Amino acid sequence: MADQVINALSTKTAPETSDQLLILGTGEPQLIDYDKLADAILNKITSKNYALDAGQMTLLAALNKLNSDCSKTKVFTMQTEYGYLYFKKNVNVVGVYGAFENLPLDKTQIEITKDFKDFNPNYSYAVVDVKSSVSPYDTVGSLWLYPNGQTMKLYKPANLSRAYIVGNYVIQA
């Protein structure tokens, strides 16, 4: 009989703040304000711990960690005898860009030893492009960065004296 009475009621698709909802539980039926129910549900969702890639945490803690990690962009400027390289690290991606001049024309491989430990790849090596300094800026070589955070090797054609360095590589944060 109660089902017939409830099923005969009209339906509402968007509750309003002043609405009340009927709760049927183990005891007597009760009314609850829509806002109080919404707050109770939100509180339940936000206080529950979830198993995430970053470990057990609430959704708010996960959002705060994600926001904190994303705002940790590090930029490092490295001066070499050939010019500057800029390293930009955001979470676990490193971008490398720069320009080299006065590269020796008699060498196709140049080893550069500088400290870039905060940006070193944590695998065998990372490779970024060496571009010609003349339009259309074709890739003409590569810069290899090694995991010791000290060693880079520039591979280029013998006739290249100016070059642009561009590329990204992934590391584990």
Side-chain angles (χ1 to χ4, degrees):
M1 183 73 172
D3 287 342
Q4 291 173 340
V5 174
I6 290 175
N7 288 336
L9 296 173
S10 62
T11 59
K12 189 172 194 176
T13 57
E16 297 173 17
T17 299
S18 60
D19 288 345
Q20 291 187 322
L21 295 103
L22 180 63
I23 297 179
L24 300 175
T26 56
E28 291 287 317
Q30 296 177 329
L31 292 175
I32 185 169
D33 292 337
Y34 171 69
D35 278 355
K36 288 182 181 172
L37 178 62
D39 289 344
I41 292 170
L42 185 58
N43 191 26
K44 182 76 167 178
I45 290 171
T46 57
S47 64
K48 180 180 176 184
N49 276 320
Y50 296 89
L52 305 172
D53 288 346
Q56 287 278 109
M57 62 181 69
T58 65
L59 292 178
L60 290 177
L63 287 172
N64 284 333
K65 180 172 177 16
L66 179 62
N67 185 45
S68 174
D69 287 349
C70 287
S71 65
K72 291 180 181 173
T73 300
K74 286 177 128 181
V75 178
F76 172 67
T77 302
M78 174 191 296
Q79 183 177 4
T80 74
E81 62 187 288
Y82 305 109
Y84 288 93
L85 282 180
Y86 302 93
F87 293 80
K88 182 177 181 181
K89 178 171 142 182
N90 190 345
V91 185
N92 59 354
V93 175
V94 176
V96 182
Y97 53 98
F100 283 165
E101 294 181 337
N102 302 317
L103 293 169
L105 295 175
D106 60 337
K107 292 185 179 179
T108 58
Q109 177 187 331
I110 301 168
E111 187 167 310
I112 300 168
T113 305
K114 287 282 187 177
D115 182 7
F116 61 97
K117 283 191 172 126
D118 285 347
F119 304 89
N120 62 318
N122 49 6
Y123 42 92
S124 300
Y125 51 82
V127 180
V128 295
D129 288 344
V130 173
K131 303 274 190 182
S132 143
S133 63
V134 179
S135 179
Y137 310 105
D138 292 329
T139 300
V140 293
S142 56
L143 178 68
W144 293 52
L145 299 104
Y146 291 91
N148 65 5
Q150 297 282 325
T151 307
M152 289 180 246
K153 290 185 181 172
L154 177 74
Y155 296 91
K156 66 166 194 75
N159 63 349
L160 189 73
S161 67
R162 294 185 66 200
Y164 296 116
I165 315 298
V166 292
N168 297 297
Y169 57 93
V170 176
I171 62 171
Q172 291 181 355

